[in-house]
Amino acid sequence: LRASATLSGGVCRGRRGCPPRLTATTDSEEAYWTPPAPATLVERPSSRQAVENLERLLVQAVERRLQGTDQPFGLSLSGGVDSAVVAALASRSSSRALPAFTVGFPDSGFDESDSARRTARHLGLEHHVVVADGARVATLLTEEYPRLDEPTADPSLIPTLLLCREARRSVKGLLSGDGADELFFGYLSFQAAQALHWAERLLPAAFLSSARSALDLIPTGQGHLHPVHLGRMLLRAVGSRPELRFYSATAAFPLEALAERPWSPAFRAQLGTVDVTTEFDRFVPDGLPHLDRVQRGIICHFLRDLILTKVDRASMLHSLEVRCPFLDLDLVEWSTTLPRELKVRGGEGKVLLRRLAGRMLPAAVARRRKHGFRPPLARLLRTDLRELTLDLLGARNVTRVGVFHSRTVVRLVDEHLRGVRDHHRTLWSLICFHLWERARRLKQAV
């Protein structure tokens, strides 16, 4: 929690007590909790003991989030292991078939609905699947996105909005699997960061720079997590501090570009010196091992400022509450004591969680690799969202807004629409900003 407030009344541990009282101030910012440094247990648990402890803490976390409410709750169910484990544990404590909600995509490379159906059948859930086709994405983008209070460019916001709208028709809240990837090293980014760490030690910097330049010239295919796209993202993180690896790889604009290309001359003069990495500096203490620094960076940037922000905005827009058992404080703090090999081993993350999942879910679900939850943006920008892209990112509108350099933006649009280069991540951020700016301007005119 970050707020312009001072905290009094102690720390609220999950849902066991009242939230701390906030006393408004104008000049202070305090965090009431930050992740503890990795701890080492005096006696290392066996794999079996660790699985049993994980199950006990997760059962406790799920029950806390279902107790104390008479409102009907459902499940956010992707095709992955995290939400499936939450669904399995929630089903144990319910006397009825819980409703579960899944977003599917027409593009098979992006769609996880078949895996979600397998989980739903196994657990006896009341399963609802809504498909995020191009028309729905375009409608949500133009009708619901302008209602946000700040520009948010996480592409998974769109399917999350669709999921929350569908769920709110029958429930008042959802349990989700958010947080598991960050706690138990589930993202491919962790393994990629380790690979890059060794590559930088073994390979000349000039070679890595040349490889990055070469990949930038290769058009990216339409599939989900295309190898060229992944390689390009990985090499963008060359030279970054461990906690900045993920940010450097996934940011809409490379860090080095923030001081030059995107901004219009007038806006750059107002911007002055801005360092977007200072938040990482205070969040990552000195002395942490490499992979733990990577984890802190992902928690600071991706989990806190994107995932949880996105879920909060999408759910509250539909008066829906989303609760995250994996972010239970007891579970989070216990996870920091686990030996590394129970989190990631041999290039595979979530080792312990997958062992627990194997006890209660089909093997295909328990062993399924991380897939991701986002629409096929590269294609949509060339098809269903083409006209909106040309309208918002045309030279006239970009120049009128005055924040970005119009010639740079127009070039990026042209290259992407012709299929010469894949700029979907950058263009999506630009679209989200200009769509939000248009909505803000229209509200002010009323």
Side-chain angles (χ1 to χ4, degrees):
L1 173 67
R2 292 184 300 152
S4 294
T6 54
L7 300 179
S8 58
V11 174
C12 173
R13 298 181 62 84
R15 293 189 173 274
R16 282 171 285 177
C18 298
R21 290 174 286 132
L22 299 180
T23 304
T25 66
T26 58
D27 58 357
S28 66
E29 181 181 285
E30 296 183 24
Y32 76 84
W33 181 86
T34 56
T40 302
L41 295 178
V42 175
E43 183 178 350
R44 293 167 67 89
S46 67
S47 176
R48 182 174 180 177
Q49 289 173 324
V51 171
E52 291 173 353
N53 285 335
L54 174 60
E55 183 173 11
R56 174 181 57 81
L57 288 167
L58 268 174
V59 167
Q60 179 178 278
V62 168
E63 289 179 348
R64 281 175 180 163
R65 282 151 185 82
L66 291 177
Q67 291 172 353
T69 177
D70 56 358
Q71 302 295 341
F73 258 71
L75 304 162
S76 172
L77 185 67
S78 70
V81 65
D82 309 335
S83 61
V85 166
V86 170
L89 295 177
S91 296
R92 287 184 187 177
S93 59
S94 176
S95 58
R96 63 184 179 88
L98 291 174
F101 303 88
T102 299
V103 174
F105 298 101
D107 303 56
S108 59
F110 291 79
D111 186 47
E112 291 187 281
S113 59
D114 284 345
S115 180
R117 288 188 184 94
R118 187 181 298 115
T119 299
R121 285 195 300 268
H122 181 79
L123 299 176
L125 304 176
E126 176 192 309
H127 197 206
H128 307 263
V129 178
V130 57
V131 177
D133 55 28
R136 277 200 175 103
V137 170
T139 299
L140 283 168
L141 189 58
T142 55
E143 291 184 359
E144 296 202 1
Y145 188 90
R147 297 170 62 192
L148 300 177
D149 60 347
E150 62 182 2
T152 302
D154 185 341
S156 61
L157 173 63
I158 296 298
T160 305
L161 283 167
L162 185 60
L163 178 79
C164 291
R165 187 174 70 178
E166 178 69 17
R168 186 60 183 83
R169 293 172 179 169
S170 52
V171 299
K172 295 291 184 67
L174 294 174
L175 297 185
S176 86
D178 290 328
D181 285 305
E182 291 79 6
L183 293 185
F184 298 104
F185 295 81
Y187 292 126
L188 182 61
S189 306
F190 290 111
Q191 291 86 339
Q194 281 291 80
L196 189 59
H197 177 63
W198 286 107
E200 287 180 326
R201 290 187 171 196
L202 299 174
L203 298 174
F207 174 83
L208 294 174
S209 178
S210 298
R212 174 179 171 178
S213 299
L215 283 179
D216 281 342
L217 298 176
I218 302 175
T220 302
Q222 299 296 319
H224 180 61
L225 299 179
H226 191 277
V228 172
H229 182 61
L230 290 177
R232 187 181 297 155
M233 290 172 62
L234 177 64
L235 291 175
R236 282 176 59 176
V238 169
S240 297
R241 304 198 310 268
E243 59 269 26
L244 295 177
R245 296 283 200 199
F246 185 84
Y247 183 90
S248 300
T250 60
F253 297 97
L255 284 174
E256 63 269 20
L258 291 177
E260 43 186 65
R261 289 188 304 170
W263 315 118
S264 68
F267 185 76
R268 189 186 304 129
Q270 299 178 45
L271 193 61
T273 302
V274 174
D275 185 358
V276 298
T277 68
T278 54
E279 189 73 4
F280 293 88
D281 294 336
R282 70 174 185 172
F283 200 74
V284 182
D286 295 331
L288 286 181
H290 175 265
L291 206 57
D292 292 297
R293 290 175 65 184
V294 174
Q295 181 188 37
R296 284 295 185 96
I298 289 178
I299 290 174
C300 173
H301 164 60
F302 194 60
L303 176 63
R304 186 189 64 176
D305 289 345
L306 274 80
I307 297 295
L308 297 182
T309 298
K310 166 204 70 180
V311 172
D312 176 73
R313 301 302 191 272
S315 59
M316 290 294 98
L317 196 62
H318 293 283
S319 300
L320 186 79
E321 183 179 359
V322 177
R323 298 177 180 177
C324 309
F326 280 106
L327 297 182
D328 182 87
L329 189 57
D330 287 338
L331 177 60
V332 171
E333 294 186 340
W334 172 79
S335 73
T336 66
T337 69
L338 285 173
R340 179 73 52 73
E341 62 269 18
L342 292 180
K343 298 178 184 179
V344 57
R345 179 188 299 167
E348 180 181 52
K350 294 190 285 198
V351 173
L352 193 64
L353 184 60
R354 293 187 188 280
R355 290 180 183 173
L356 174 60
R359 297 182 174 185
M360 58 184 75
L361 294 165
V365 176
R367 305 304 305 172
R368 195 168 189 269
R369 287 188 172 274
K370 181 69 180 177
H371 188 273
F373 183 53
R374 59 182 61 223
L377 275 182
R379 180 187 62 78
L380 288 175
L381 292 176
R382 298 186 180 107
T383 55
D384 297 85
L385 300 179
R386 183 184 183 93
E387 294 304 315
L388 180 65
T389 300
L390 291 170
D391 176 32
L392 289 172
L393 303 186
R396 184 175 182 178
N397 189 57
V398 174
T399 300
R400 180 195 59 77
V401 175
V403 172
F404 295 95
H405 194 279
S406 61
R407 280 184 296 179
T408 298
V409 173
V410 169
R411 176 180 58 80
L412 295 174
V413 171
D414 177 68
E415 290 178 350
H416 185 87
L417 294 186
R418 289 191 293 113
V420 176
R421 302 281 291 275
D422 182 2
H423 298 301
H424 77 269
R425 189 177 296 271
T426 300
L427 295 181
W428 179 252
S429 294
L430 292 168
I431 287 170
C432 289
F433 171 77
H434 284 90
L435 193 64
W436 171 84
E437 189 279 335
R438 176 177 290 181
R440 181 190 63 83
R441 178 166 41 86
L442 292 175
K443 289 175 184 177
Q444 290 178 341
V446 174

